[in-house]
Amino acid sequence: MSPLRPDGLGGRAAVAGIGATEFSKDSGRSELSLAVEAVRAALDDAGLAPGDVDGLVTFTMDTSPEITVAQAAGIGELSFFSRVHYGGGAACATVQQAALAVAAGIAEVVVCYRAFNERSGRRFGSGVQRREPSAEGVALGWQLPFGLLTPASWVAMAAQRYLHAYGLTPEVFGHVAVTDRRYAATNPAAWFHGRPITLADHAASRWIAEPLRLLDCCQETDGGQAIVVTTPERARDLRHPPAVVLAAAQGAGRGQEAMTSFYRDGLTGLPETGVVARQLWRSSGLRPSDIDVGILYDHFTPFVLMQLEEFGFCGPGEGGDFVAADALPLNTHGGQLGEAYLHGMNGIAEAVRQLRGTSVNQVPGAARALVTAGTGVPTSGLVLGTDT
């Protein structure tokens, strides 16, 4: 795509339904069961039936294949199915894939889903236990022998450099944790409902990988989330006002690796997020000042600050002050730190609720929402808006 020309996707697809399972630490069910429950809930929310669906999109990491979900959910023939790689970086790209299919007329109703037993089953936070040889895994061979075994340890490298470069202390990360938990405390669906924290709580939490403390790291969750994407025209005839896809983008930076891009020119930013930001602003015609609510991927607090800076909400090193000032309503569902870790899919659902006016922490008059996906890996983003 030309770096000088916006794409033509904006306004040609919309989110018409959202649905989720309970967010728990031990679902007691299979991941397929969670996926089907979320898909059916999203279709019910939209006022659609399984037979209306002709497309499915998920993550390469998901264990429930599209055809198996279709069979179990009562969905018939599929004309489109797709998967997106790089873990949480895929979240917004699932909606982008669905929107592309809808805009091209390949499918009319596409459901994006993600479901896992990430707490009771495979825990990503436990790090690399075993890995089959692959070209993608070669980069880890430069990190694992030196003790960088977990996602927290990989992010800690960048976080430490960020603090050093800007003369900051780990307290700046605490502002993200406190903000997320404040919103989670009033969200009945959140795991940390009724449990806000303070900066003192953040500073007192145990070290995980300096300078990251426990409260800088997202929780681990069992659950599922699904998103229904269709044409704006069809969405207008359904149960809820559509959340229109104003722009969608993917991005990978130069020298990109999956969580271990330590040999790039610098460690104080997220170049992959910069690629996404430029595409979203160019294609939507919007700027940071036009955004009413930000749903930023918060697997680790430092990367939230870097995302704000890459998107131009504030200058380099100013993300902590920006969050502390409540300059933008941020992760109003509680984020992955407070609500649930669903690889960012629950964040897309919260953006939709904000645009519908149904969030438990509603931003008055919210009409434009920015959503981001996992960072440190090739990533993606969305700008969603009301149907005006």
Side-chain angles (χ1 to χ4, degrees):
M1 184 179 70
S2 166
L4 303 177
R5 185 175 65 247
D7 63 54
L9 183 61
R12 300 178 65 188
V15 177
I18 53 176
T21 67
E22 176 191 21
F23 303 139
S24 73
K25 302 302 180 186
D26 187 359
S27 72
R29 289 174 283 158
S30 70
E31 293 180 334
L32 175 60
S33 176
L34 294 171
V36 171
E37 180 181 334
V39 168
R40 287 176 171 167
L43 290 172
D44 183 65
D45 179 69
L48 293 168
D52 294 313
V53 177
D54 52 4
L56 289 170
V57 184
T58 188
F59 293 50
T60 57
M61 293 180 73
D62 203 282
T63 61
S64 301
E66 301 92 318
I67 56 174
T68 308
V69 170
Q71 184 179 35
I75 295 168
E77 296 177 348
L78 297 176
S79 59
F80 177 76
F81 39 92
S82 178
R83 289 190 170 212
V84 189
H85 198 32
Y86 302 114
C92 295
T94 64
V95 174
Q96 181 193 41
Q97 291 278 314
L100 288 167
V102 166
I106 297 171
E108 187 174 5
V109 176
V110 182
V111 181
C112 310
Y113 66 91
R114 180 73 173 107
F116 52 36
N117 285 319
E118 199 277 334
R119 172 69 185 196
S120 65
R122 178 191 173 192
R123 298 176 66 174
F124 303 141
S126 62
V128 178
Q129 304 294 315
R130 174 178 171 275
R131 191 178 184 105
E132 294 295 329
S134 69
E136 185 179 42
V138 167
L140 290 175
W142 296 101
Q143 327 302 335
L144 302 184
F146 302 98
L148 297 179
L149 301 173
T150 66
S153 69
W154 302 331
V155 173
M157 295 281 283
Q160 191 73 278
R161 184 63 187 174
Y162 180 88
L163 296 179
H164 173 78
Y166 299 118
L168 301 170
T169 67
E171 180 181 330
V172 296
F173 304 149
H175 294 302
V176 176
V178 169
T179 297
D180 277 19
R181 290 288 293 273
R182 182 177 77 242
Y183 285 122
T186 54
N187 175 9
W191 178 256
F192 286 110
H193 177 233
R195 288 182 279 176
I197 60 170
T198 64
L199 284 176
D201 294 327
H202 172 266
S205 64
R206 64 184 174 89
W207 292 114
I208 299 299
E210 291 189 52
L212 300 183
R213 295 183 177 274
L214 177 64
L215 293 178
D216 289 309
C217 307
C218 72
Q219 59 185 307
E220 296 175 295
T221 303
D222 289 6
Q225 179 80 58
I227 312 288
V228 179
V229 178
T230 187
T231 64
E233 294 76 18
R234 185 162 188 180
R236 293 185 191 110
D237 293 331
L238 299 176
R239 287 182 174 169
H240 300 284
V244 178
V245 178
L246 301 181
Q250 287 182 277
R254 291 185 178 89
Q256 182 80 58
E257 295 178 5
M259 299 299 293
T260 58
S261 302
F262 302 137
Y263 299 97
R264 298 196 284 202
D265 292 339
L267 292 179
T268 58
L270 296 166
E272 62 275 7
T273 297
V275 174
V276 169
R278 292 190 295 274
Q279 292 184 64
L280 291 181
W281 295 145
R282 181 172 62 245
S283 293
S284 68
L286 301 175
R287 292 294 179 265
S289 59
D290 298 313
I291 299 300
D292 300 308
V293 58
I295 309 296
L296 303 190
Y297 198 95
D298 56 338
H299 49 346
F300 298 99
T301 58
F303 281 0
V304 174
L305 306 186
M306 295 183 196
Q307 287 178 78
L308 288 166
E309 295 163 17
E310 292 283 0
F311 271 94
F313 288 97
C314 54
E318 297 175 356
D321 289 340
F322 183 88
V323 176
D326 280 330
L328 174 73
L330 186 67
N331 294 345
T332 50
H333 57 319
Q336 299 184 114
L337 291 165
E339 185 187 55
Y341 175 65
L342 258 297
H343 260 162
M345 296 293 277
N346 52 320
I348 301 172
E350 172 63 11
V352 172
R353 287 189 291 267
Q354 284 287 349
L355 299 176
R356 289 178 177 179
T358 60
S359 171
V360 295
N361 294 304
Q362 184 62 45
V363 175
R368 301 287 183 270
L370 170 68
V371 190
T372 64
T375 48
V377 296
T379 190
S380 53
L382 297 167
V383 177
L384 301 178
T386 52
D387 189 27
T388 57

